[in-house]
């Protein structure tokens, strides 16, 4: 029997991927609808509490988000729409076809454009250069820090409020590593809010590289390509530019990616395994000196170690992280002392009156907005997956670890409001679950992510 004509075979249309089952699509939409109801309920109850003489103080003008209602357009509006349209139309194809390093580079610059254009919706001063210069922010303290060793020795003594030399809100609420970043920028000659915001956006954009790269390094390269456009068009980009939490997300995501790289290096006998493991530990160790809550990223580091199955990489990272802790202790700052004092400071402020009974669920509504409808649907699919693949599939295990970190942070009550930015370092690790979304409707989910971010940025003036 003769072979079929090759030309005829080439002329045949490619087989189409089967459409997602209707029941699956319906369940996805129901999950998104449930999230929308949660957000609507948080909004309604929050506005009810905001009435004069309600007797309840939530200290948020546009609940559940820390923002003010202010419909507006700005210099970045048209550019933001163009970036969104370009990524929705061409992002999935480019992510699938470009060489992997080229795809990651394209993802980084697309993320940079998306974050910057969203920030510029509020204008240069209000949306970018002035964001980190308000009295509550880090830059307010930078001019007064002329002696870094002394600052570290005295840091804990200035955490509590109502003292002559108490740190400002954000400096007191975080370990000294966060302040040091901006002090170091100033010492390099990069003074002022514009340079600080630039550093935050450059670091925050690393999320779009680190998250899909980690998925690929842990054995799911095809899923990593599917995640890449979602890592670019995340609604969380509204807060990555330019809150310091965006910088925290970029730094720690890079640390986790390096941990995965080290594990792969050890598995294949590569020379980069040791330096990658040490660099991972330094970044993750420094991460807990950026924000106390980032100690919960240990759950994600454990997930990467389990998936990588190379405990030498984990051991190196732990050693390097402990070395970072040791350096800070030697310089005069002990993390546990700072943590206990910051909890006390937390309840010296609005946290004392913000009701836990409201924020314990409204915080989840706020983070749902930052995650976007695509991630909500993806979580629904991930939690419905077989538990047998949990310990072997990075798409599932990274997402479950991120959910666990968010739930721990929520129940602790140490984050009442502003979780749309505070939980960014956890929330970005739910992005891998978007690989579970069916391909036929993936562009629609990408579009939904973009519309969410554009709506938030154009209807509200976000805080911090």
């Amino acid at each position: 029997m003769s072979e079929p004509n090759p030309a005829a075979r080439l002329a045949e249309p490619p087989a189409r991927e089967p459409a997602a089952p209707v029941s699956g699509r319906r369940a996805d939409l129901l999950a998104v609808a449930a999230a929308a109801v949660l957000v609507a309920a948080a909004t309604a109850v929050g506005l009810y509490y905001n009435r004069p003489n309600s007797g309840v103080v939530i200290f948020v003008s546009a609940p559940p988000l820390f923002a003010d209602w202010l419909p507006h357009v700005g210099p970045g509006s048209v550019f933001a729409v163009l970036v969104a349209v370009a990524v929705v139309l061409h992002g999935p194809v480019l992510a699938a076809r470009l060489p992997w390093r080229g795809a990651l580079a394209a993802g980084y610059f697309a993320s940079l454009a998306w974050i910057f254009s969203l920030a510029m919706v509020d204008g240069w001063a209000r949306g970018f250069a002035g964001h980190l210069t308000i009295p509550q922010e880090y830059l307010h303290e930078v001019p007064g820090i002329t002696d870094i060793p002394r600052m570290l020795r005295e840091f804990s003594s200035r955490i509590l409020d109502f003292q002559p030399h108490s740190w400002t809100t954000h400096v007191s609420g975080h370990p000294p590593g966060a302040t040091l970043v901006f002090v170091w920028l100033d010492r390099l000659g990069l003074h002022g809010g514009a340079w600080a915001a630039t550093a935050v956006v450059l670091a925050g954009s690393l999320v779009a590289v680190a998250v899909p790269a980690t998925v690929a390094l842990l054995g799911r390269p095809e899923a990593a390509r599917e995640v890449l456009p979602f890592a670019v068009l995340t609604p969380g980009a509204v807060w990555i530019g330019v809150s310091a939490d965006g910088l925290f997300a970029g730094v720690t995501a890079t640390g986790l990616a390096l941990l995965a790289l080290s594990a792969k290096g050890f598995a294949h006998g590569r020379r980069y395994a040791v330096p990658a493991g040490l660099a991972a530990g330094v970044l993750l160790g420094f991460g807990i000196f950026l924000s106390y809550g980032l100690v919960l990223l240990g759950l994600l580091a454990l997930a990467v170690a389990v998936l990588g199955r190379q405990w030498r990489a984990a051991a190196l990272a732990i050693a390097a992280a402990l070395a970072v802790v040791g350096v800070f202790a030697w310089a005069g700052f002990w993390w546990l002392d700072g943590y206990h004092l910051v909890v006390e400071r937390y309840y010296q402020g609005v946290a004392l009156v913000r009701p836990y009974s409201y924020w314990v669920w409204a915080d989840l509504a706020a983070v749902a907005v930052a995650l976007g409808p695509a991630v909500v649907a993806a979580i629904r699919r991930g939690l419905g997956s077989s538990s047998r693949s949990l310990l072997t599939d990075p798409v599932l295990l990274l997402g479950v670890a991120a959910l666990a970190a968010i739930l721990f942070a929520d129940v602790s009550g140490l984050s009442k409001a502003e979780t749309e930015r505070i939980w960014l370092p956890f929330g970005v690790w739910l992005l891998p679950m978007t690989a579970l979304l069916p391909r036929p409707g993936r562009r629609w989910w990408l579009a939904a992510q973009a519309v969410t971010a554009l709506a938030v940025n154009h209807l509200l003036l976000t805080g911090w």
Side-chain angles (χ1 to χ4, degrees), residues 72-84 87 107-131 193-206 208 231-243 246 453-454 457-458 462:
H72 64 288
V73 294
S77 296
V78 173
F79 189 45
V81 172
L82 291 175
V83 172
V87 175
Y108 179 79
F109 288 109
S111 177
L112 198 63
W114 177 237
I115 294 168
F116 182 70
S117 63
L118 288 173
M120 287 300 292
V121 169
D122 297 336
W124 174 258
R126 187 171 64 178
F128 191 77
H131 237 306
W195 281 114
T198 299
V200 167
V201 171
L202 290 173
S205 297
L206 290 171
V232 171
L233 281 190
T234 171
V238 171
W239 296 276
I240 292 176
V242 290
S243 74
L454 291 168
N457 225 126
H458 284 87
T462 55

Side-chain angles (χ1 to χ4, degrees), residues 207 211 234 240 249 253 371 402 423-432:
V207 165
V211 172
T234 171
I240 292 176
L371 294 175
W423 292 347
L424 278 172
F426 310 136
V428 298
W429 290 101
L430 288 162
L431 289 167

